[in-house]
């Protein structure tokens, strides 16, 4: 009899635990309308991150030995072939070299300015939407806090409307539902912040390669003169 009572109590405890458990989807739904902009921001952050990673990865794939080949062709006076070789690649470094080769014969200062202008345009393309990702990393936690404040207001309004003693269940449900938006907002903000810093690091690596290439090309022209 005692064993039967223990088993029955354990079964009832498991049933109650399963009834009180909430899956992730239901938990997100309890966050209220503030969850909509947070989910939109998370989707935008993921889309920007993936698109930027692919773009930066493509921009950094400069063919091996391109600079040396261009330097060799320019030294031999084969300007058209050097320009054609650069035009076959869509990387920022190739575009800078193409602009520099096309300006050979002009004053060295003009060639340097032309290369720098192309570099600025390519850097702008590399950094496209990075500021938006940074904005998401700061805005998402604030929106989450806003959802917490509005949720707490609604919880206290419900408490005020209750007659007699307030049940702990009503109070706890109102609080944890309000805190959901804070957790989601912080999660989106942290992910966006980490993604932003990773992309900035990758862009800086490409910029360093571009600067190195431009210096090497200008040095070549100075040696030729």
């Amino acid at each position: 009899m005692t064993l039967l009572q223990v088993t029955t109590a354990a079964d009832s405890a498991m049933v109650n635990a399963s009834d009180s458990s909430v899956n992730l989807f239901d938990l997100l739904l309890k966050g209220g309308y503030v969850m909509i902009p947070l989910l939109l921001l998370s989707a935008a952050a993921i889309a920007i991150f993936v698109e930027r990673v692919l773009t930066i990865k493509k921009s950094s794939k400069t063919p091996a030995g391109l600079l040396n080949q261009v330097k060799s062709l320019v030294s031999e006076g084969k300007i058209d072939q050097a320009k054609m070789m650069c035009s076959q690649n869509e990387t920022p470094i190739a575009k800078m070299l193409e602009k520099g080769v096309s300006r050979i014969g002009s004053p060295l200062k003009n060639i340097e300015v032309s290369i720098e202008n192309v570099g600025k345009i390519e850097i702008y393309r590399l950094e496209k939407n990075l500021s938006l990702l940074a904005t998401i990393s700061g805005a998402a936690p604030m929106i989450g806090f806003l959802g917490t404040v509005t949720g707490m207001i609604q919880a206290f309004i419900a408490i005020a409307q209750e007659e007699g003693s307030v049940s702990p269940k009503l109070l706890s449900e109102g609080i944890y539902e309000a805190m959901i938006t804070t957790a989601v907002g912080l999660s989106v903000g942290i992910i966006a912040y980490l993604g932003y810093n990773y992309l900035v690091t990758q862009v800086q690596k490409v910029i360093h390669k571009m600067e190195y290439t431009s210096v090497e090309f200008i040095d070549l022209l100075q040696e030729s003169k």
Side-chain angles (χ1 to χ4, degrees), residues 21-214:
S21 62
V22 181
N23 58 44
L24 179 61
F25 182 74
D26 293 336
L27 198 63
L28 293 177
L29 289 179
K30 290 181 178 294
Y33 293 107
V34 180
M35 294 297 298
I36 296 176
L38 288 177
L39 294 177
L40 292 177
L41 289 178
S42 64
I46 294 173
I48 292 173
F49 179 79
V50 173
E51 188 270 335
R52 285 293 90 193
V53 166
L54 296 177
T55 300
I56 295 171
K57 186 177 181 180
K58 181 179 178 181
S59 299
S60 62
K61 286 185 176 180
T62 304
L66 176 62
L67 178 59
N68 293 330
Q69 293 177 7
V70 171
K71 290 170 64 176
S72 177
L73 291 174
V74 171
S75 301
E76 296 173 2
K78 300 178 181 179
I79 307 300
D80 292 336
Q81 294 184 16
K83 185 177 179 181
M84 183 179 299
M85 178 176 294
C86 295
S87 63
Q88 293 174 352
N89 299 278
E90 294 297 327
T91 60
I93 292 177
K95 292 180 180 179
M96 292 172 62
L97 290 175
E98 181 182 3
K99 177 60 70 174
V101 170
S102 64
R103 290 290 187 271
I104 291 179
S106 303
L108 192 61
K109 184 63 176 178
N110 294 342
I111 297 176
E112 187 175 355
V113 171
S114 299
I115 293 176
E116 289 179 355
N117 291 336
V118 173
K120 291 178 181 178
I121 295 173
E122 294 303 318
I123 291 174
Y124 172 79
R125 292 176 179 173
L126 289 174
E127 294 178 344
K128 182 181 179 182
N129 291 331
L130 289 186
S131 59
L132 181 57
L133 190 60
T135 302
I136 292 175
S137 68
M142 289 190 290
I143 294 176
F145 290 137
L146 176 62
T148 298
V149 172
T150 57
M152 292 296 292
I153 292 174
Q154 293 176 359
F156 282 113
I157 290 175
I159 293 172
Q161 293 175 349
E162 284 289 323
E163 296 180 359
S165 60
V166 179
S167 63
K169 182 179 180 181
L170 176 63
L171 183 60
S172 61
E173 285 183 354
I175 292 176
Y176 90 76
E177 289 179 10
M179 297 300 291
I180 291 173
T181 56
T182 298
V184 175
L186 287 173
S187 300
V188 175
I190 291 172
I191 294 173
Y193 180 74
L194 294 176
Y196 169 78
N197 283 280
Y198 172 79
L199 293 176
V200 169
T201 302
Q202 298 304 310
V203 170
Q204 290 298 324
K205 290 181 180 179
V206 178
I207 292 175
H208 176 72
K209 292 180 181 179
M210 294 167 61
E211 292 175 347
Y212 173 80
T213 302
S214 63

